[in-house]
Coordinates of all heavy atoms in Angstrom, one line a residue:
M72 N 92.1 87.3 107.0 CA 91.4 88.6 107.3 C 92.2 89.7 106.7 O 93.4 89.6 106.7 CB 91.3 88.8 108.8 CG 90.5 87.8 109.5 SD 88.7 88.0 109.2 CE 88.3 89.3 110.2
K73 N 91.5 90.7 106.3 CA 92.3 91.9 105.9 C 91.2 93.1 106.0 O 90.1 93.0 106.3 CB 92.6 91.9 104.4 CG 91.6 91.9 103.3 CD 92.3 91.9 102.0 CE 91.5 92.9 101.0 NZ 92.2 92.9 99.7
V74 N 91.9 94.3 106.0 CA 91.2 95.5 106.3 C 90.5 96.1 105.0 O 91.2 96.1 104.0 CB 92.1 96.6 106.8 CG1 91.3 98.0 107.1 CG2 92.8 96.1 108.1
K75 N 89.3 96.4 105.2 CA 88.6 97.0 104.0 C 88.1 98.4 104.4 O 87.6 98.6 105.5 CB 87.3 96.1 103.6 CG 86.7 96.5 102.4 CD 85.7 95.5 102.0 CE 84.9 95.8 100.8 NZ 84.1 97.0 101.0
I76 N 88.3 99.4 103.5 CA 87.7 100.8 103.6 C 86.6 101.0 102.7 O 86.6 100.7 101.5 CB 88.9 101.8 103.3 CG1 90.3 101.5 103.8 CG2 88.3 103.2 103.4 CD1 90.4 101.9 105.3
D77 N 85.4 101.4 103.2 CA 84.4 101.7 102.4 C 84.5 103.1 101.9 O 84.4 104.1 102.7 CB 83.1 101.5 103.2 CG 81.8 101.7 102.4 OD1 81.9 102.5 101.4 OD2 80.8 101.2 102.7
L78 N 84.8 103.3 100.7 CA 85.2 104.5 100.2 C 84.0 105.5 100.1 O 84.1 106.7 100.2 CB 85.7 104.5 98.7 CG 87.2 103.8 98.7 CD1 87.6 103.6 97.4 CD2 88.2 104.3 99.6
K79 N 82.8 105.0 100.2 CA 81.6 105.8 100.1 C 81.5 106.4 101.5 O 80.8 107.6 101.7 CB 80.4 105.0 99.8 CG 80.3 104.6 98.3 CD 79.1 103.9 97.9 CE 79.1 103.3 96.6 NZ 78.4 102.1 96.5
K80 N 81.9 105.7 102.6 CA 81.7 106.3 103.9 C 82.9 107.0 104.4 O 82.8 108.0 105.2 CB 81.5 105.1 104.8 CG 80.2 104.3 104.8 CD 80.2 103.3 105.7 CE 78.8 102.5 105.7 NZ 78.8 101.2 106.5
C81 N 84.0 106.8 103.9 CA 85.3 107.5 104.3 C 85.3 109.0 103.8 O 85.0 109.3 102.7 CB 86.6 106.8 103.7 SG 88.1 107.6 104.2
T82 N 85.5 109.9 104.9 CA 85.7 111.3 104.6 C 87.1 111.8 104.5 O 87.3 113.1 104.3 CB 84.9 112.1 105.7 OG1 85.5 111.7 106.9 CG2 83.4 111.7 105.7
G83 N 88.1 110.9 104.7 CA 89.4 111.3 104.7 C 89.8 112.1 106.0 O 90.7 113.0 106.0
C84 N 89.1 111.9 107.1 CA 89.3 112.6 108.4 C 90.7 112.4 108.9 O 91.2 113.2 109.8 CB 88.2 112.4 109.3 SG 88.3 110.7 110.1
S85 N 91.4 111.3 108.6 CA 92.7 110.9 109.2 C 92.7 110.5 110.6 O 93.9 110.2 111.1 CB 93.7 112.2 109.2 OG 93.8 112.7 107.9
K86 N 91.6 110.2 111.1 CA 91.6 109.6 112.5 C 92.2 108.4 112.6 O 93.0 108.0 113.6 CB 90.1 109.5 112.9 CG 89.8 110.3 114.3 CD 88.4 110.3 114.6 CE 88.2 110.3 116.1 NZ 86.8 110.1 116.3
C87 N 92.0 107.4 111.5 CA 92.5 106.0 111.6 C 94.0 106.0 111.5 O 94.7 105.1 111.9 CB 92.0 105.2 110.6 SG 92.0 105.9 108.9
L88 N 94.6 107.1 110.9 CA 96.1 107.0 110.6 C 96.7 107.1 112.1 O 97.7 106.4 112.3 CB 96.5 108.5 110.0 CG 96.6 108.3 108.5 CD1 95.2 108.2 107.8 CD2 97.4 109.5 107.9
E89 N 96.1 107.9 112.9 CA 96.7 108.0 114.4 C 96.5 106.7 115.1 O 97.3 106.4 116.0 CB 96.0 109.2 115.1 CG 96.4 110.5 114.5 CD 95.4 111.5 114.8 OE1 94.6 111.4 115.9 OE2 95.2 112.5 114.1
S90 N 95.5 105.9 114.8 CA 95.2 104.7 115.5 C 96.2 103.5 115.2 O 96.4 102.5 115.9 CB 93.9 104.3 115.3 OG 93.6 103.7 114.1
C91 N 96.7 103.7 114.0 CA 97.5 102.5 113.4 C 98.9 102.5 114.0 O 99.8 103.4 113.7 CB 97.7 102.5 112.0 SG 98.5 101.2 111.3
P92 N 99.4 101.4 114.8 CA 100.6 101.3 115.4 C 101.7 101.1 114.3 O 103.0 101.1 114.6 CB 100.6 100.1 116.4 CG 99.1 99.7 116.5 CD 98.4 100.1 115.1
F93 N 101.3 100.7 113.2 CA 102.4 100.1 112.1 C 102.4 101.1 111.0 O 103.0 100.9 109.8 CB 102.0 98.8 111.7 CG 101.8 97.8 112.7 CD1 100.6 97.5 113.4 CD2 102.9 97.1 113.2 CE1 100.6 96.6 114.3 CE2 102.9 96.3 114.3 CZ 101.7 96.0 114.9
E94 N 101.8 102.3 111.0 CA 101.9 103.4 109.9 C 101.4 102.8 108.7 O 102.1 103.1 107.6 CB 103.2 104.0 110.0 CG 103.6 104.7 111.3 CD 104.8 105.5 111.2 OE1 105.7 105.3 110.3 OE2 105.1 106.2 112.2
A95 N 100.5 102.0 108.7 CA 100.0 101.3 107.5 C 98.9 102.1 106.7 O 98.4 101.5 105.7 CB 99.6 99.7 107.8
I96 N 98.5 103.2 107.3 CA 97.3 103.8 106.5 C 97.8 105.3 106.2 O 98.6 106.0 106.8 CB 96.0 104.1 107.5 CG1 95.9 102.7 108.2 CG2 95.0 104.6 106.7 CD1 94.7 102.8 109.2
K97 N 97.5 105.7 104.9 CA 97.7 107.1 104.5 C 96.4 107.5 103.7 O 95.4 106.7 103.5 CB 98.9 107.1 103.5 CG 98.7 106.2 102.2 CD 100.1 106.1 101.5 CE 100.0 105.2 100.3 NZ 101.1 105.3 99.3
I98 N 96.4 108.8 103.6 CA 95.3 109.4 103.0 C 95.7 109.8 101.5 O 96.7 110.4 101.2 CB 94.8 110.7 103.6 CG1 94.3 110.4 105.0 CG2 93.7 111.3 102.8 CD1 93.2 109.6 105.2
V99 N 94.9 109.2 100.5 CA 95.2 109.5 99.1 C 93.9 110.0 98.5 O 92.9 109.3 98.5 CB 95.6 108.2 98.4 CG1 95.9 108.6 96.8 CG2 96.9 107.6 98.9
S100 N 94.0 111.2 97.9 CA 92.8 111.8 97.4 C 91.6 111.9 98.4 O 90.4 111.5 97.9 CB 92.4 111.1 96.1 OG 93.5 111.2 95.1
E101 N 91.8 112.1 99.6 CA 90.8 112.3 100.6 C 90.1 111.0 101.0 O 89.0 111.0 101.5 CB 89.8 113.4 100.2 CG 90.4 114.8 100.1 CD 89.4 115.9 99.8 OE1 88.2 115.6 99.8 OE2 89.9 117.0 99.9
K102 N 90.9 109.9 100.8 CA 90.4 108.6 101.2 C 91.5 107.8 101.9 O 92.6 108.0 101.5 CB 89.8 107.8 100.0 CG 88.7 108.4 99.3 CD 87.5 108.5 99.9 CE 86.4 109.2 99.2 NZ 85.2 109.4 99.9
A103 N 91.1 107.0 102.9 CA 92.2 106.2 103.5 C 92.5 105.1 102.7 O 91.7 104.4 102.0 CB 91.5 105.7 104.8
V104 N 93.8 104.8 102.6 CA 94.3 103.7 101.8 C 95.2 102.7 102.8 O 96.1 103.4 103.4 CB 95.1 104.2 100.6 CG1 95.8 103.0 99.9 CG2 94.3 104.9 99.8
I105 N 95.0 101.5 102.7 CA 95.8 100.6 103.5 C 97.0 100.1 102.8 O 96.9 99.7 101.6 CB 95.0 99.3 104.0 CG1 93.7 99.8 104.6 CG2 95.9 98.5 104.9 CD1 93.9 100.5 106.0
D106 N 98.3 100.1 103.4 CA 99.4 99.5 102.8 C 99.5 98.2 103.4 O 99.8 97.9 104.5 CB 100.8 100.3 103.2 CG 102.0 99.7 102.7 OD1 102.0 98.6 102.3 OD2 103.0 100.4 102.6
F107 N 99.1 97.2 102.5 CA 98.9 95.8 103.0 C 100.3 95.1 103.4 O 100.4 94.0 104.0 CB 98.1 94.9 102.0 CG 96.7 95.3 101.9 CD1 96.3 96.1 100.8 CD2 95.8 95.0 102.9 CE1 94.9 96.5 100.7 CE2 94.5 95.5 102.9 CZ 94.0 96.2 101.9
D108 N 101.3 95.7 102.9 CA 102.7 95.3 103.3 C 103.0 95.5 104.7 O 103.7 94.8 105.3 CB 103.8 95.8 102.4 CG 103.7 95.2 100.9 OD1 103.4 94.2 100.8 OD2 104.1 95.9 100.0
K109 N 102.5 96.7 105.2 CA 102.8 97.1 106.6 C 101.6 96.7 107.5 O 101.9 96.5 108.8 CB 102.9 98.6 106.6 CG 104.1 99.2 106.0 CD 104.1 100.7 106.1 CE 105.2 101.4 105.6 NZ 105.3 102.8 105.7
C110 N 100.4 96.5 107.1 CA 99.2 96.1 107.9 C 99.4 94.8 108.5 O 99.7 93.8 107.9 CB 97.9 96.2 107.2 SG 96.5 95.7 108.0
Q111 N 99.2 94.8 109.9 CA 99.3 93.4 110.7 C 98.0 93.0 111.2 O 97.8 92.0 111.9 CB 100.2 93.7 111.9 CG 101.5 94.3 111.7 CD 102.5 93.3 110.8 OE1 102.5 92.2 111.2 NE2 103.0 93.7 109.8
V112 N 96.8 93.5 110.5 CA 95.5 93.1 110.8 C 95.3 93.2 112.3 O 94.6 92.2 112.9 CB 95.2 91.9 110.2 CG1 93.7 91.6 110.1 CG2 95.9 91.7 108.8
C113 N 95.8 94.1 113.1 CA 95.6 94.2 114.5 C 94.2 94.8 114.9 O 93.8 94.5 116.1 CB 96.7 95.2 115.1 SG 96.3 96.9 114.7
G114 N 93.4 95.4 113.9 CA 92.2 95.8 114.1 C 92.0 97.2 114.9 O 90.8 97.6 115.1
A115 N 93.0 97.8 115.3 CA 93.0 99.1 116.0 C 92.2 100.1 115.2 O 91.4 101.0 115.7 CB 94.4 99.6 116.4
C116 N 92.3 100.1 113.9 CA 91.8 101.1 113.1 C 90.3 101.1 113.0 O 89.5 102.0 112.9 CB 92.4 101.2 111.7 SG 92.4 99.6 110.9
E117 N 89.8 99.8 113.1 CA 88.3 99.6 112.9 C 87.5 100.3 113.8 O 86.5 101.1 113.4 CB 88.1 98.0 113.0 CG 86.6 97.7 112.7 CD 86.4 96.2 112.8 OE1 87.1 95.5 113.6 OE2 85.5 95.7 112.1
S118 N 87.8 100.3 115.1 CA 87.0 101.1 116.2 C 87.4 102.6 116.1 O 86.6 103.3 116.7 CB 87.2 100.5 117.5 OG 88.6 100.5 117.8
S119 N 88.4 102.9 115.5 CA 88.8 104.4 115.5 C 87.9 105.3 114.5 O 87.8 106.5 114.7 CB 90.2 104.6 115.1 OG 90.4 104.5 113.7
C120 N 87.3 104.6 113.6 CA 86.5 105.3 112.5 C 85.1 105.5 113.0 O 84.4 104.5 113.1 CB 86.6 104.5 111.2 SG 85.6 105.4 110.0
G121 N 84.7 106.7 113.2 CA 83.4 107.0 113.6 C 82.3 106.8 112.7 O 81.2 106.8 112.9
R122 N 82.8 106.7 111.4 CA 81.8 106.5 110.3 C 81.6 105.1 109.9 O 80.9 104.8 109.0 CB 82.2 107.4 109.1 CG 82.4 108.9 109.4 CD 82.6 109.6 108.1 NE 81.7 109.4 107.0 CZ 80.5 110.0 106.8 NH1 80.2 110.8 107.9 NH2 79.8 109.7 106.1
G123 N 82.4 104.2 110.6 CA 82.2 102.8 110.2 C 82.6 102.4 108.9 O 82.1 101.4 108.3
A124 N 83.6 103.1 108.5 CA 84.2 102.8 107.0 C 85.2 101.7 107.0 O 85.5 101.3 106.0 CB 84.8 104.2 106.5
I125 N 85.7 101.3 108.2 CA 86.7 100.3 108.3 C 86.1 99.1 108.9 O 85.5 99.0 109.8 CB 87.9 100.7 109.2 CG1 88.4 102.1 108.6 CG2 89.0 99.8 109.1 CD1 89.6 102.6 109.4
T126 N 86.3 97.9 108.1 CA 86.0 96.7 108.6 C 87.0 95.7 108.3 O 87.8 95.8 107.4 CB 84.6 96.1 108.0 OG1 84.7 96.3 106.5 CG2 83.3 97.0 108.4
L127 N 87.0 94.6 109.2 CA 87.9 93.4 108.9 C 87.1 92.5 108.1 O 86.1 92.0 108.5 CB 88.5 92.9 110.1 CG 89.4 93.8 110.9 CD1 89.9 93.1 112.1 CD2 90.6 94.3 110.1
V128 N 87.5 92.0 107.0 CA 86.8 91.1 106.1 C 87.7 89.8 105.9 O 89.0 89.9 105.9 CB 86.4 91.7 104.8 CG1 85.4 92.8 105.1 CG2 87.4 92.2 104.0
D129 N 87.1 88.7 105.5 CA 87.9 87.5 105.1 C 88.5 87.8 103.8 O 88.0 88.4 103.0 CB 86.8 86.3 104.9 CG 86.4 85.9 106.3 OD1 87.1 86.0 107.3 OD2 85.3 85.3 106.5
G130 N 89.7 87.2 103.6 CA 90.4 87.2 102.3 C 91.5 88.0 102.3 O 92.0 88.6 103.3
Ligands
SF4_124 S1 88.8 107.3 110.3 FE1 87.2 106.5 108.8 S2 86.4 108.3 107.8 FE2 88.4 108.9 108.8 S3 90.0 108.7 107.2 FE3 89.9 106.8 108.4 S4 88.5 105.4 107.3 FE4 88.2 107.4 106.6
SF4_125 S1 94.5 96.7 111.1 FE1 96.1 97.4 112.5 S2 97.9 97.5 111.4 FE2 96.2 97.3 109.9 S3 95.8 99.4 109.1 FE3 94.5 98.8 110.9 S4 95.5 99.7 112.7 FE4 97.0 99.5 111.1

């Protein structure tokens, strides 16, 4: 599993940054970007995004 950001839905609001216990998300050019070296696939960010831009996908 890995975290996927739908860039069309992401507004860069930063809400997901606060939800991540591993500081694995940053905003680049007003879009959320996952640092896969830090991400532990805990899923906390998925529910934090009110726009449904974050999903956990296979792969
Ligand atoms: S909470 Fe959702 S819309 Fe906001 S920056 Fe994160 S992914 Fe983008
Ligand atoms: S799945 Fe967990 S560790 Fe990975 S970016 Fe989301 S909140 Fe952070």
